[in-house]
Amino acid sequence: MKKFDHIKAASYEEASRIIKEKGGAAEPIAGGTDLLGTYRDRLLSTYPEAVVSLQSIPDTAYIEDGGDEIIVGAGTKLKDIAASDLVKEGCNALSEAAHSVASPLIRSTATIGGNICQDVRCWYYRYPNSIGGRLECKRKGGDTCYAICGENRYHSIFGGMCHGASSCQHACPAGTDIPEYMAKIREGDWDGAAQVFFRYNPMPMMTSRICPHPCTDSCNQNVYGESVNIPAVERTLGDYILEHQEKFYTAPSVSTGKRCAVIGAGPGGLTAAFYLRRAGHEVTVYDAHEKAGGVLRYGIPHYRLPKSIVDDFCNALESGMGISFVMNTKVGQDITVEDIKSKNDLVYFGTGAWSQPVLGLEGEKLTEFGLDFLSEVNTYLQKAIGENVLVCGGGNVAMDVALTAKRLGAKTVKLVCLEQRNEMPASDDEVEMAVEEGIQLYNGWGLGKVLADAKGKVGGLEAKRCLSVFDENGRFSPIYDEKDVMTLSSDFIILATGQRVDISFLGEKLTSQLKTARGLIDADLESGKTKTDGYYAGGDAVTGPDLAIRAIQAGRIAAYSMNRDLGVSEDAAHEAEKYTHFDVAGIENTKQSKLYEKPASERSLAEEDRASLDQDAAKGEAERCLHCACYAVNASDITPVLVMADAKIITTERTLTAKELFTAQLTVQDALHQGELVKELRIPKQHGENHYIKRRVRDAIDFAIVAIAGNLKVSGGVIEDANIVLGGVAPVPYEMQEISQFLKGKKISAELAEEAGEIAMKDAAPMGKNEYKVFMCRDALFNFIMDAAR
């Protein structure tokens, strides 16, 4: 066991103060039967430097009659609670629960305060580090619950509970709650899935087609086979939203009377406009292009993102939501930022990165800028090019340029880039498609100089060997072998080596206030606020060229910040489903559903290469989602009784109901503040037949497989009132409110007890190896009801 300081506290207040002062470096210990085992077996990745003993605090063990309630000190031993006549008479279920805990030796040591705050008994969580390495399960901050696909006979039959974001949500630049919208799709609730998605991103029909989706790399299905095809499911959802746009892109019912301007009609600007308009503001979007969409329209080829989709989305914002667009307007020339601000309360800059960086390459003026090339082709679907095209760059833009040139009719297309094949920033599928269509890759070569022919036109490129791209700190710092050169012949060279941000549109005054050393807009990434009141910014203009999904995230963050500053509260707090579920059969499928992709011979500039999954196929893919959460069950025998009895828990800071402390969060520690300690319990005296029934493998030591804490008030064989809570079947005590209501006013009979069991288990979702718990619950509930008649 790792060494730690042992501090004896003289009072709860002192213990609380010490823990708060030490931050996460100190923990309280009550009886010690649970915590010391955790330390000994090194179950956690971090350990406290100090343990603050609550045993040294005087007068913490007592059981008192409080009139209509029983008052129990948190330091009271379980054996004393089990033996107390006051407890037996006032809340017999509590006495029975205390008596059921472990063994007489443990009950003589363990306190009620320690019992209700104990940690979970899941085998994976408790796997000793000494045996073969600690298992970093979801509850410990890891990526998944091993019981989902492993041994789960003792786990929850009513679903799991989230403990932090899932690994795929962490990986998503927009933070999209992927498991939640997947769950809605599994239920066939496409509208619900859309509403979940809209909390993060208003344009899934586009991001599904263009985002590199790092979420798939973090999907835990990769452990067993292929990841869930998240972009494919998102794509079908996006198509559904666009097909029913009148339901999803609507004008706000209430106007705030505030006006906001967005400069830039790209993904970030349109996102900001969406969330600002949804809050009730009047929103006007300015852009220099003829049509809205920014890089979505002008920088992404039709075969990846059809412009009809961009049209439909922008029309939905304009016609459906009432967002105004002022196009063909160059801010800084046709209208100043100050003029725009004078007409609006707040302004957002989402202008992107459209300028060509100057590389200082000899002959650079003979080349074409990749973004200009794509913009022209996307506008007219034609362009005069040479026969032998050379593309410089290794990212997705370079792949788009190369494929576009090939589909325009170039005889040969070569691509030269600094990176080796496995280092290329372009996504693997884009590189594979380029190779499939005959693009010749020259990896590990840098740009030397552009060669001109006798007529002064492009003749080719002299390239030099690139030995390494990044330094030891991961910074871009290419090293070349200047003596190792080669010549690549070409009559049309396109530079796709990056874009540059131009903020000259701000004007001299604002530029002096907002410009950073890198020539970007200085804005807080957490709020989008600039140093000048009334102005916000995000996306490429703030970070430099980046992914569209990050611009979307920045637009949403800034819009929410703007809404708050305009006195509009956030969207009503979303109440997520308390329990998570997965499809037992679906997760066994290790192969993902692929999008149909046209063979190379049938691909063109104007038509989309891939086809979306239909809704049934997308639903099937969503059923492969593990819905990673914690599926362990609550360990305490006492907490279900306290929830059933509607007990009050007195802490060093406040009074909580048992329901608030034990069922709202996955762990008691999540519900309590740092340093907040349980001091006392107040249990209302129960009127009626109240008992605690515990089913386990052995009558001593073992934790509950299934437990019932219940109270039935019966008169003349008729149930007048009922309150039933289950233990051992869910991550927290599971309230059976529907059954409690069902039983009221009914005469006890075997038929009634059987029907109650069926109703109680209708929402059960066994994990594969624990279906027996369903039958055990029905049996225990049947006996509990029938015993009340006797």
Side-chain angles (χ1 to χ4, degrees), residues 402-423:
L403 284 168
T404 297
K406 187 69 175 177
R407 296 185 189 189
L408 275 171
K411 286 185 178 180
T412 66
V413 177
K414 300 169 185 166
L415 185 143
V416 60
C417 66
L418 298 173
E419 300 86 2
Q420 296 301 321
R421 172 76 179 264
N422 63 338
E423 298 174 325

Side-chain angles (χ1 to χ4, degrees), residues 30-31 33-34 74 78 97-98 101-102 106 110-119 635-640 642 662 668 703:
T33 56
D34 177 48
L78 295 180
V101 174
I106 291 178
T111 64
I112 189 170
N115 181 276
I116 63 177
C117 295
Q118 69 178 296
D119 223 333
S636 172
D637 291 294
I638 305 298
T639 55
L642 298 179
F662 304 125
V668 173
F703 289 83

Side-chain angles (χ1 to χ4, degrees), residues 714-728:
V714 181
S715 178
V718 175
I719 300 173
E720 295 182 347
D721 199 8
N723 196 359
I724 298 172
V725 176
L726 299 184

Side-chain angles (χ1 to χ4, degrees), residues 44 61 85 218 440 556 611 670 753 774:
L44 306 177
D85 290 335
S218 297
Q440 301 170 36
R556 174 175 57 83
D670 290 338
V774 174

